[in-house]
């Protein structure tokens, strides 16, 4: 079973994404943008369009993460969120959140039209549905929030799903698309505007000042007036972001389903979460089914998440085959609102965009639009709402303490956990934590029978990583760092690989 590939026919100018060299010397620029996902690419493009000298640097390849493997929802419906925002933040701020995301949605749709991007953009309604009476009440409350905010929603109990639904709330004329050809076009436009791109450039440290310096793991510097971090965990020396964000892993399978697929994009209010939408790939109609979220590094056996999705797809839709699967990491702030804007109050040349939960396409685009305004001196109605320096005392303190107590618990458990398994007991394609000479190590035996050994201590803050059997990765339960089976960094905040213990 494979990660979901993107069909070559969608590339604009070649059979694969253009490649860019790593940073190999120290350079100067006006603005450095760190991060190669939708927020980083869109921000870099918008700033270059404003006539600025911009460098875009990414730790891996552009679109090398989950964005490059699946279709994405473009929607202002972010689960059941508006009733909660009205209750906690008030109607005015809840409406600003909706309007910011509506702006992101419209920007994507307008850009697709402007450049005639072939990205299978399909307009569909988005639904949150409930199968239990308890969650049906929450659906009704969410619809009432839509009415207060002026959102064109609909309350219904009739969906074209093969199981009874007690209530559902809809927002019409949302969309889904393939993000890769869309972002590939923005990359082309960015380069034509004079932008520079450096792939496989891990920014290890950002020294804030006049000028600021983004320093790569190889010691090269991007010297700039302003630096923008669009990666999951900012590399700034200030801001304490690792304690203000936590990572959640979620899982997706692509299933072959007989008959006609339900029209629309669906997500359940009930637990366990189930997300449902369709995609066309290779001439076949596939259904993408997602869910089974948990805090990164804290799943017992991650293969069970995929198996649970497959069992549900088979029972519910009569799925016959599961050709692809993958997982994603999403980062969540203390109050569920993303951090977008000036990194800290006393650092006027450092900007950040992170914490989009599971709604990175729309909110990530809204973030890029806000960053453009801030960096070009324009006013924005969304600046205060998303300011990283905001602090909701009652809610944030409770969440901060709960998250960091959880970190401490996993830090201690990881150090005290006794492991009896030996490397020679592992089968092919099996990984586990083992003891070698009294020290904890991560062991994985690949398909060819080769043993890979790494130090199991995360290079970020010393927590002990856990084996992710579903994705064959080492995941940190404290702050969400992920490493491949060889120990190479896949996801921050860690910037250094796990130490190899090979002879």
């Amino acid at each position: 079973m494979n990660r979901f590939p993107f069909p070559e026919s969608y590339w604009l100018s070649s059979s694969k994404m253009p490649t860019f060299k790593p940073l190999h010397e120290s350079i100067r620029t006006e603005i450095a943008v760190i991060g190669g996902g939708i927020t980083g690419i869109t921000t870099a493009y918008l700033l270059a369009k404003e006539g600025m000298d911009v460098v875009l640097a990414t730790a891996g390849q552009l679109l090398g993460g989950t964005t490059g493997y699946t279709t994405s929802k473009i929607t202002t419906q972010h689960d059941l969120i508006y009733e909660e925002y009205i209750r906690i933040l008030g109607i005015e701020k809840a409406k600003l959140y909706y309007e910011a995301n509506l702006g992101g949605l419209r920007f994507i749709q307008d850009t697709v039209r402007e450049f005639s991007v072939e990205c299978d953009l399909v307009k569909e309604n988005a639904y949150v549905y409930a199968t239990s009476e308890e969650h049906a009440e929450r659906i009704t409350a969410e619809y009432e929030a839509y009415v207060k905010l002026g959102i064109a929603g609909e309350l219904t109990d009739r969906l074209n799903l093969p199981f009874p639904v007690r209530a559902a709330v809809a927002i019409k004329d949302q969309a889904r698309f393939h993000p890769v050809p869309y972002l590939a076009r923005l990359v082309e436009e960015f380069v034509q505007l004079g932008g520079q791109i450096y792939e496989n450039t891990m920014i290890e440290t950002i020294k804030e000042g006049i000028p600021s310096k983004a320093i790569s793991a190889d010691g090269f510097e991007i010297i700039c007036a302003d630096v923008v971090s669009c990666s999951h965990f900012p590399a700034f020396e200030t801001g304490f972001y690792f304690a203000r964000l936590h990572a959640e892993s979620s899982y997706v399978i692509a299933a072959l389903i007989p008959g006609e697929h339900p029209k629309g994009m669906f997500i359940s209010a009930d637990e366990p979460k189930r997300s449902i939408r369709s995609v066309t790939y290779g001439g076949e109609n596939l259904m993408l089914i997602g869910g089974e979220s948990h805090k990164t590094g804290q799943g017992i056996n991650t293969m069970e998440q995929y198996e649970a999705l497959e069992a549900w797809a088979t029972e519910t839709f009569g799925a016959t085959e599961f050709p692809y699967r993958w997982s994603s990491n999403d980062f969540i702030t203390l109050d569920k609102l993303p951090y977008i804007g000036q990194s800290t109050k006393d650092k006027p040349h450092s900007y950040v965009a992170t914490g989009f939960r599971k709604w990175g396409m729309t909110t990530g685009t809204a973030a890029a639009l806000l960053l453009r305004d801030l960096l070009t001196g324009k006013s924005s109605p969304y600046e205060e709402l998303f300011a990283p320096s905001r602090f909701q005392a009652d809610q944030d303190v409770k969440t901060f303490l709960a998250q960091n107590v959880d970190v401490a618990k996993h830090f201690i458990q990881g150090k005290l956990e006794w492991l009896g398994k030996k490397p020679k007991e592992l089968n092919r394609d099996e990984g586990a934590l083992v003891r070698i000479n009294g020290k904890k190590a991560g062991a994985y035996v690949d398909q060819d029978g080769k043993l890979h050994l790494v130090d199991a201590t995360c290079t970020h803050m010393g927590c002990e990583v856990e084996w992710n059997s579903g994705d064959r990765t080492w995941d940190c339960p404290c702050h969400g760092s992920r490493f491949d089976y060889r120990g190479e960094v896949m996801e921050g905040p860690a910037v250094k690989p796990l130490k190899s213990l090979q002879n």
Side-chain angles (χ1 to χ4, degrees), residues 290-333:
E292 297 295 312
S293 297
H294 62 82
K295 199 169 182 181
T296 299
Q298 298 182 21
I300 298 172
N301 177 358
T302 51
M303 274 304 299
E304 292 179 357
Q305 271 75 22
Y306 290 117
E307 290 166 357
L309 292 176
E310 290 177 8
W312 187 79
T314 301
E315 179 181 353
T316 306
F317 294 99
T320 57
E321 193 177 336
F322 306 97
Y324 309 106
R325 69 167 186 245
W326 64 96
S327 68
S328 63
N329 251 25
D330 296 286
F331 287 76
I332 303 171
T333 68

Side-chain angles (χ1 to χ4, degrees), residues 73-78 101 105 126 171 174-175 265 359 362-363:
K73 296 166 75 170
I74 315 169
T75 180
T76 59
Q77 187 186 69
H78 298 169
N101 282 279
L105 182 153
I171 299 182
Q174 308 297 283
M265 303 176 292
W359 310 104
T362 316
T363 310

Side-chain angles (χ1 to χ4, degrees), residues 30 37 76 87 97 117 120 206 215 251 263 267 289 292 330 363 408 421-422 447 450 472-474 501:
E30 189 174 358
T76 59
R87 180 164 32 87
Y97 179 86
V117 183
D120 278 353
I206 296 175
I215 305 170
Y251 301 81
K263 287 182 171 56
I267 188 169
I289 297 173
E292 297 295 312
D330 296 286
T363 310
K421 204 152 195 173
K422 299 177 181 178
Q447 299 278 12
K450 181 180 178 180
R472 300 172 182 83
T473 58
W474 297 106
L501 299 179

